[in-house]
Amino acid sequence: MTDESMIDEPRIDPAVQVAGAEEIAPDLLVIPNHRVELVPNIGIIGGTRAVLVVDTGMGVANAEQVLAFASEVAKGRQLYLTTTHFHPEHAFGAQVFAGQATYLVNRAQADDLKTKGTGYLEIFRGLGGPIVRRLDGVQVPTPDEVYDDGYDLDLGGRTVRLRPTGRGHTKGDQVIEVPDDGVLFTGDLAETGQFAIFPWLPPHDTDVSGVGWLAVMDRLAVSGPRVVVPGHGDIGGPQVLDDVRDYLRELRDETWRRRDSAMGEDEIVAEVRALLIERHPEWVGQEWIEPGVGCLCAEHAA
Ligand SMILES: [Zn+2]
């Protein structure tokens, strides 16, 4: 994600379509992103007592729709909100839930919101057109509750586990597990049908870690989910995690092999980019390869 490539690209309106919600387990809905860029997969997980919403969509109007839909599903049950990480299409609608839901996140994500939220609001406003409109009136949200090591949220007859993963796609990623149903919400630690998103934006943000991300994927695979809801793209089985891990290994190994031979970074980018596009011709998001290589070059030196 160089600033240029982000800004040059024409953008479509990142509108959440609540009407497309799918029940993937009893009282567990996903509003799929239909592969629309900058729309996340959004979860609504119910118990007898309460309902948890996972991610808001970008901006006030999207979040208002998600809140209205979740309230309809909840039928008077208490509402909670969590976000997988601080990025605008996942968390920058949370203000709408104030007073209606308890907004709960992990400590590292709360720190990301505080230290980087305003900067990302500016970066995303720079994307122009429909994104600017979606971000109109948006304030960087402040969580109601922040947890440290992990949080088991009892929704009544169904407990949901919120688990920080350590540094990966961002410094403050968390995953949401629904153990009884074997469902895992990964946020942007996993996507399908596209190259992994590396928000490597030196000097503004260098928190993404290819090495850390790989370690996270290894741990998530061991947890053995049956259903994986990625941050963007199609819902799938455990293979979703394997595919991301394989890609990250490929990106790392191809980058580091060239780095070992003292090749310059521009040449590495060109070669690795061509190679990975050839291996994954059907994937979108080719612009994410370059920052991925940049991140791993920096980590090779470290
Ligand atoms: Zn993200």
Side-chain angles (χ1 to χ4, degrees):
M1 178 168 68
T2 61
D3 288 337
E4 300 78 42
S5 70
M6 285 183 69
I7 289 163
D8 287 349
E9 209 172 311
R11 297 278 161 180
I12 56 165
D13 182 28
V16 175
Q17 305 286 343
V18 295
E22 296 168 11
E23 195 170 36
I24 63 167
D27 211 8
L28 201 173
L29 295 146
V30 173
I31 303 170
N33 81 330
H34 298 294
R35 299 195 171 202
V36 178
E37 197 186 11
L38 294 177
V39 175
N41 288 316
I42 293 170
I44 298 170
I45 307 162
T48 54
R49 180 184 71 79
V51 171
L52 171 68
V53 177
V54 180
D55 286 348
T56 67
M58 189 193 294
V60 172
N62 274 331
E64 281 175 350
Q65 278 199 61
V66 172
L67 175 59
F69 182 74
S71 301
E72 214 174 279
V73 169
K75 294 189 176 71
R77 290 175 286 179
Q78 189 182 348
L79 282 179
Y80 289 88
L81 170 69
T82 194
T83 48
T84 53
H85 62 298
F86 83 100
H87 282 158
E89 78 271 31
H90 298 269
F92 285 16
Q95 72 197 66
V96 167
F97 287 72
Q100 309 283 317
T102 304
Y103 180 29
L104 170 68
V105 303
N106 51 311
R107 175 84 50 199
Q109 181 179 176
D111 291 345
D112 277 346
L113 282 165
K114 201 187 229 174
T115 58
K116 292 191 293 187
T118 305
Y120 266 72
L121 202 47
E122 292 314 307
I123 293 171
F124 272 65
R125 282 184 171 138
L127 298 175
I131 316 292
V132 177
R133 288 192 294 279
R134 287 285 171 191
L135 291 173
D136 192 33
V138 164
Q139 294 150 10
V140 176
T142 307
D144 297 311
E145 285 181 36
V146 176
Y147 72 84
D148 285 303
D149 300 328
Y151 194 97
D152 292 349
L153 179 61
D154 180 3
L155 299 173
R158 180 182 255 162
T159 297
V160 176
R161 291 184 189 150
L162 283 62
R163 294 286 183 269
T165 61
R167 193 171 159 211
H169 169 75
T170 68
K171 196 150 60 175
D173 298 307
Q174 69 163 342
V175 294
I176 290 88
E177 301 171 15
V178 190
D180 291 347
D181 301 278
V183 176
L184 177 72
F185 290 81
T186 64
D188 288 354
L189 289 161
E191 291 93 29
T192 65
Q194 70 168 94
F195 293 94
I197 300 170
F198 272 77
W200 174 256
L201 290 167
H204 310 293
D205 188 356
T206 55
D207 284 341
V208 57
S209 165
V211 173
W213 194 339
L214 260 168
V216 171
M217 296 317 290
D218 285 337
R219 289 198 298 274
L220 291 181
V222 169
S223 76
R226 283 186 286 118
V227 179
V228 176
V229 184
H232 302 267
D234 300 340
I235 299 166
Q239 188 66 36
V240 170
L241 301 179
D242 296 340
D243 289 349
V244 173
R245 186 179 55 183
D246 290 349
Y247 169 71
L248 292 172
R249 279 186 186 153
E250 196 175 26
L251 178 70
R252 177 197 63 187
D253 293 348
E254 295 298 344
T255 300
W256 283 9
R257 183 176 305 141
R258 287 167 178 78
R259 203 63 172 165
D260 285 339
S261 69
M263 189 184 279
E265 191 168 324
D266 289 349
E267 207 180 335
I268 298 175
V269 167
E271 284 198 13
V272 172
R273 194 183 137 83
L275 183 76
L276 294 179
I277 289 171
E278 195 186 310
R279 284 187 195 162
H280 306 284
E282 73 287 10
W283 285 4
V284 300
Q286 296 176 353
E287 71 276 16
W288 296 114
I289 301 172
E290 180 178 346
V293 170
C295 171
L296 280 155
C297 278
E299 292 191 287
H300 181 273

